């Protein structure tokens, strides 16, 4: 069961639809029990850092999350979901993130903000998300400053930033794969079933 | 910087598309979901629905159609038209809209912008601004273009950005419904007054209109309806033309380009 975590804000329909089309059995919900039952977890890209962490920082949920992540449960963080996996975000000062990856989110200083639209992502790091550049859809004002070795894709918005990060079974993407047509769907399909062929 | 975006807009009443020219003379034509998919296949970067439903019943039908759209369309969906309060925002986002546009409600109760941005994130909040030329200069209109305000569009745009809007959809009421081109002057004024993305709307008739507004202003995206609905040209043709003019657009990937 793929758990799409519900922080209580915004459109979860699109990401659930995409996961289902890719062959996943999806549940929207929250709480330690569902986390333990899940075989994969999606942290969706809706809402704000502070509000989402308020929902996620319940002690029981934290415990279950740490346990499952340590056990190697695959996690996909989308947009805000990716940012939540780090230590903190300037969007919500003083609020701790999940801390699975070292780094924090900061606000863009140059260019139109939010960075909104289709931008080119090129492969990066030891385990890139794609073998050649693709356009994906972005809609964000904050980006992650993370360690080089976790970067899995690079994009530019007046400056380079991490479009994707990967560490073990944890994958984060700053863009919205459920809104990125074929390239996005390929990524979702690989998350749902990594053993399926690339086509 | 992101590629410039081409956004087809569908006027919808209930669950049917209507090809309108100026909010009058409505002609029924087609299923929005089918059209949205077709535009997505053609290379549209996003799709927009303008809800012109007049009754509560039609609004409910509209929400159901948004759900069906979100289930199958894999590009972002912006929905606007008659959104009055944060509940309206919430209903549309839960139905599957990625962005919700507010127009008159933003002028009447500006607090709605910040409230929606705080709850859902500013990237979900589009403020639509309709404006026309008057003897005193450009002025914002509300209520589907029927009421003129004292607001100057660039100043209003800056204000809504401050309040939390993530994007501005700017429609020239003078150009809208015609095919003489986007209002480059109005678009330039507004795009220079803010740092959020601005979508130009109203007046597209020829290919060069697209490059004009994108080359001469800092608009990030263009929205058009009739030219696409009447098949004057396809989104692919617009993108090819823009590429030839040196404007970056996303070219839709073929089957072979996965991975």
């Amino acid at each position: 069961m793929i758990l799409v975590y519900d922080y209580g804000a915004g459109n979860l329909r699109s990401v659930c639809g995409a996961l289902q089309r890719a062959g996943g059995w999806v549940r929207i919900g929250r709480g330690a029990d569902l986390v333990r039952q899940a075989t994969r977890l999606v942290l969706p890209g809706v809402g704000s850092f502070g509000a989402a962490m308020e929902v996620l920082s319940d002690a029981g949920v934290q415990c279950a999350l740490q346990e499952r992540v340590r056990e190697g449960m695959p996690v996909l963080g989308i947009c805000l979901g990716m940012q939540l996996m780090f230590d903190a975000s300037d969007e919500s000062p003083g609020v701790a993130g999940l801390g699975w990856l070292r780094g924090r989110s900061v606000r863009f200083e140059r260019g139109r903000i939010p960075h909104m639209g289709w931008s080119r992502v090129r492969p990066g790091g030891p385990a890139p998300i794609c073998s050649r550049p693709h356009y994906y859809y972005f809609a964000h004002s904050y980006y992650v400053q993370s360690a080089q070795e976790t970067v899995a894709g690079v994009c530019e918005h007046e400056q380079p930033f991490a479009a994707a990060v990967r560490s073990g079974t944890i994958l984060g993407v700053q863009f919205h794969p459920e809104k990125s047509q074929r390239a996005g769907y390929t990524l979702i399909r690989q998350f749902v079933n990594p053993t399926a062929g690339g086509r | 910087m992101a590629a410039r975006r081409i956004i087809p807009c569908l006027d919808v009443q209930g669950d049917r598309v209507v090809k309108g020219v100026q909010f009058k003379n409505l002609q029924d034509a087609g299923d929005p979901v089918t059209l949205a998919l077709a535009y997505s296949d053609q290379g549209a970067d996003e799709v927009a629905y303008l809800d012109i439903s007049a009754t509560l019943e039609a609004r409910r039908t509209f929400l159901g159609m948004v759900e069906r759209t979100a289930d199958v369309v894999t590009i972002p969906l912006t929905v606007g038209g008659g959104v009055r309060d944060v509940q309206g925002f919430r209903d549309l986002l839960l139905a599957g809209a990625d962005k919700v546009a507010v127009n008159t409600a933003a002028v009447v109760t500006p607090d709605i912008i910040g409230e929606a941005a705080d709850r859902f994130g500013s990237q979900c909040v589009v403020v639509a601004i309709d404006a026309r030329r008057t003897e005193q200069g450009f002025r914002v209109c509300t209520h589907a273009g029927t009421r003129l305000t004292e607001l100057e569009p660039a100043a209003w745009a800056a204000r809504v950005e401050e309040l939390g809007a993530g994007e501005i959809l700017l429609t020239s009421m003078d150009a809208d419904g015609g095919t003489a081109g986007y209002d480059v002057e109005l678009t330039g004024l507004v795009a220079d007054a803010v740092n959020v993305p601005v979508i130009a709307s109203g007046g597209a008739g020829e290919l060069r209109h697209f490059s004009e507004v994108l080359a001469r202003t800092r608009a990030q995206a263009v929205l058009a309806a009739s030219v696409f609905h009447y098949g004057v040209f396809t989104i692919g043709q617009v993108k090819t033309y823009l590429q030839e003019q040196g404007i970056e657009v996303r070219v839709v990937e073929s089957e072979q380009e996965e991975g």
Side-chain angles (χ1 to χ4, degrees), chain A residues 43 94 114 118-119 130 133 145-146 195:
Chain A
L43 296 175
W118 295 81
S119 283
C130 49
Q145 286 178 331
S146 70
T195 57

Side-chain angles (χ1 to χ4, degrees), chain B residues 17-239:
Chain B
V17 174
V18 290
K19 284 181 190 172
V21 171
Q22 275 168 8
F23 300 106
K24 306 171 229 192
N25 304 325
L26 302 182
Q27 259 179 284
D28 190 3
D31 168 41
V33 183
T34 305
L35 283 172
L37 275 173
Y39 282 134
S40 174
D41 284 344
Q42 264 190 41
D45 296 301
E46 299 181 16
V47 68
Y49 287 161
L50 177 64
D51 179 9
I52 58 173
S53 304
T55 66
L56 212 53
E57 188 58 46
R59 269 192 186 278
R60 271 194 284 266
T61 307
F62 178 78
L63 269 179
M65 187 274 302
V66 170
E67 288 178 353
R68 284 190 288 117
T69 303
D71 283 342
V72 295
V73 171
T74 55
I75 56 176
L77 172 66
T78 299
V79 180
V83 176
R84 301 255 169 274
D85 47 34
V86 175
Q87 184 60 37
F89 247 95
R90 188 173 175 275
D91 288 346
L92 286 167
L93 291 173
L94 288 180
D98 298 292
K99 296 187 267 182
V100 175
V102 279
N103 188 337
T104 299
V107 173
V108 172
T109 39
D111 282 347
I112 188 182
I113 302 169
E115 226 189 299
D118 284 342
R119 269 181 79 167
F120 309 114
S122 59
Q123 69 283 349
C124 294
V125 180
V126 179
V127 172
I129 299 176
D130 294 346
R132 67 166 79 251
R133 293 160 184 271
T134 70
E135 273 164 19
Q136 291 78 37
F138 291 108
R139 290 292 181 269
V140 173
C141 333
T142 57
H143 298 84
T146 59
R147 290 191 211 176
L148 209 53
T149 70
E150 285 302 308
L151 295 169
E152 197 277 319
W156 175 234
R159 181 83 187 109
V160 306
E161 175 181 24
E162 248 173 67
L163 290 169
E167 190 167 56
I168 286 166
L169 170 56
L170 176 69
T171 302
S172 159
M173 298 310 286
D174 300 306
D176 196 41
T179 52
Y182 291 94
D183 192 327
V184 171
E185 190 189 344
L186 170 66
T187 307
L189 276 172
V190 171
D192 286 347
V194 295
N195 203 41
V196 293
V198 172
I199 307 169
S201 171
E206 296 171 35
L207 288 175
R208 67 180 172 87
H209 293 155
F210 293 91
S211 62
E212 264 165 17
V213 72
L214 291 173
R216 294 207 234 146
T217 77
R218 282 189 258 244
Q220 295 277 294
V222 287
L223 182 140
S226 313
V227 278
F228 297 133
H229 300 341
Y230 297 138
V232 177
F233 28 72
T234 65
I235 290 170
Q237 286 171 323
V238 173
K239 287 195 166 184

Side-chain angles (χ1 to χ4, degrees), chain A residues 2-196:
Chain A
I2 301 175
L3 176 62
V4 173
Y5 211 92
D6 183 5
Y7 335 122
N11 172 19
L12 297 180
R13 204 177 178 97
S14 306
V15 70
C16 288
L19 290 162
Q20 281 166 333
R21 276 198 305 278
W25 174 39
V26 178
R27 262 192 85 160
I28 298 175
R30 55 171 80 175
D33 287 345
L34 281 179
V35 170
R36 288 206 171 84
Q37 287 165 38
T39 53
R40 291 178 199 286
L41 172 69
V42 172
L43 296 175
V46 287
S48 71
F49 194 91
M53 278 317 302
E54 207 179 306
V55 171
L56 286 166
S57 58
D58 166 82
V61 172
Q62 283 285 341
C63 196
L65 284 171
Q66 303 300 348
E67 220 175 86
R68 293 296 289 125
V69 167
R70 231 180 302 128
E71 287 164 3
M73 174 173 72
V75 181
L76 172 63
I78 297 172
C79 194
L80 172 71
M82 164 173 153
Q83 296 173 357
L84 293 173
M85 302 192 305
F86 287 82
D87 296 314
S89 172
D90 286 356
E91 184 183 5
S92 310
V95 176
L98 294 166
W100 300 338
L101 298 169
R102 289 283 76 74
R104 68 181 296 120
S105 294
V106 299
R107 196 175 162 86
F108 279 112
E109 279 171 13
R110 298 198 307 280
R112 296 263 151 178
I113 303 165
H115 170 221
M116 178 112 69
W118 295 81
S119 283
R120 227 167 167 79
V121 173
R122 50 192 165 82
I129 55 160
C130 49
S131 54
R132 44 200 290 206
H134 285 291
Y135 278 103
Y136 297 93
Y137 191 86
F138 291 82
H140 62 122
S141 304
Y142 294 81
Y143 66 95
V144 168
Q145 286 178 331
S146 70
Q148 270 311 297
E149 58 267 20
T150 55
V151 173
V154 182
C155 187
E156 302 260 339
H157 183 59
E158 304 288 328
Q159 61 165 91
F161 69 90
V165 292
R166 198 201 294 273
S167 176
T169 56
I170 293 174
L171 173 64
V173 290
Q174 186 62 74
F175 52 84
H176 286 267
E178 74 281 16
K179 294 280 133 178
S180 298
Q181 281 191 315
R182 264 192 207 99
Y185 180 67
T186 298
L187 187 138
I188 287 176
R189 212 177 49 211
Q190 280 164 0
F191 173 72
V192 170
N193 187 356
T195 57

